[in-house]
Amino acid sequence: MKESAVNKPKDIFIERGGVRLHALDHGGLDRPIFLMLHGAVAHARWWDPIAPGLTGLGRPIAVDLRGHGESEWAEDYSYEAFYKDLDAWIEWAEEESGEPPGVVAHSFGAGTTLKLHEAANPRLRFIVLVDVPLELSERIIGPLRKVADRPSRPWPSRELFVEKFRVVPSGDNVSPELLAHVARHSVRPLEDGTWTRKADKSFHKNRPVTDFRPGWRKVKAPALLVVGAESDRLTEADLKWIRESRADVRIESIPGAYHHVHLDAPEIFLSLTQDFLSSILY
């Protein structure tokens, strides 16, 4: 996946609670701003196949969550810390554009969005949530805690890291080119010439079992939920609860896609998102 100089996103930094937070501005229309949140142990560049396709509808800003990408590592990785960071980005976006932003969020970023709704009443134009479980159960979080317990090893070269990189949970449909793209942006060089992950995996260690139903109940903005048909994050019972409790939420399932829906099927995901945004914004 090549990036032209013309389309290269610009860096944005804000600070909250002593933590420097980073995002990538993909340009486009002045407003509305679309805040794009990645999943766990990922980064803002995971939205590179999607964000440029949204510039005709608004201004996509892909956020690096604390402890991820180019944002600083922190002592506090509670949901409260993450959703307060999101609230700070929402405040920044409203000051920047003069109107409330929307949120496009995958997995952990989507869970953070729902936790913000549970705690507050965010001013948002819309939300697009991608393959977020109804409950972060022990079945889901247990294996991730084990990942956090294994220290990040230094890699002798960026090329070797890219060669070995795989998404977690696994999926079979990400193109090799796109997988290599997100892998290249997942590591940084050390002084001794080795490479290490940008993400602080330790944030998984104390992640609790979490119920996202309270957040779903308080969503007021137009909402789209996109799920991977091959993903195990949402059961049929989970989807039934959302359909019955939030009949106003549009739900789309993408055949052949696993948990990382926007990497497995970027063209289909982009088309669904464009259609949803066109229907509610203009």
Side-chain angles (χ1 to χ4, degrees), residues 25-47:
D25 183 354
H26 286 266
L29 304 179
D30 290 338
R31 61 185 187 272
I33 286 176
F34 309 152
L35 297 172
M36 310 186 77
L37 277 61
H38 58 77
V41 197
H43 49 76
R45 304 307 296 259
W46 285 54
W47 290 112

Side-chain angles (χ1 to χ4, degrees), residues 30-35 59-61 92-93 96-97 99-102 126:
D30 290 338
R31 61 185 187 272
I33 286 176
F34 309 152
L35 297 172
R59 182 179 166 193
I61 306 286
W92 171 87
E96 178 80 4
S97 67
E99 63 181 61
F126 66 85

Side-chain angles (χ1 to χ4, degrees), residues 1-13 22-28 36 43-52 55 59-64 70 181 185:
M1 181 175 179
K2 297 181 180 179
E3 178 183 83
S4 70
V6 174
N7 296 325
K8 186 175 181 180
K10 298 177 181 179
D11 296 302
I12 299 173
F13 292 93
H22 171 261
L24 292 170
D25 183 354
H26 286 266
M36 310 186 77
H43 49 76
R45 304 307 296 259
W46 285 54
W47 290 112
D48 281 2
I50 306 301
T55 55
R59 182 179 166 193
I61 306 286
V63 173
D64 278 324
E70 301 303 324
H181 174 77
H185 289 283

Side-chain angles (χ1 to χ4, degrees), residues 120-143:
N121 183 26
R123 284 168 48 82
L124 293 172
R125 292 286 301 275
F126 66 85
I127 59 172
V128 176
L129 303 184
V130 187
D131 217 57
V132 58
L134 193 60
E135 179 183 58
L136 188 66
S137 63
E138 192 62 40
R139 172 183 67 85
I140 296 172
I141 195 59

Side-chain angles (χ1 to χ4, degrees), residues 208-220:
V209 169
T210 306
D211 186 359
F212 295 118
R213 291 176 184 86
W216 269 119
R217 291 188 181 101
K218 295 181 69 175
V219 168
K220 294 181 179 179

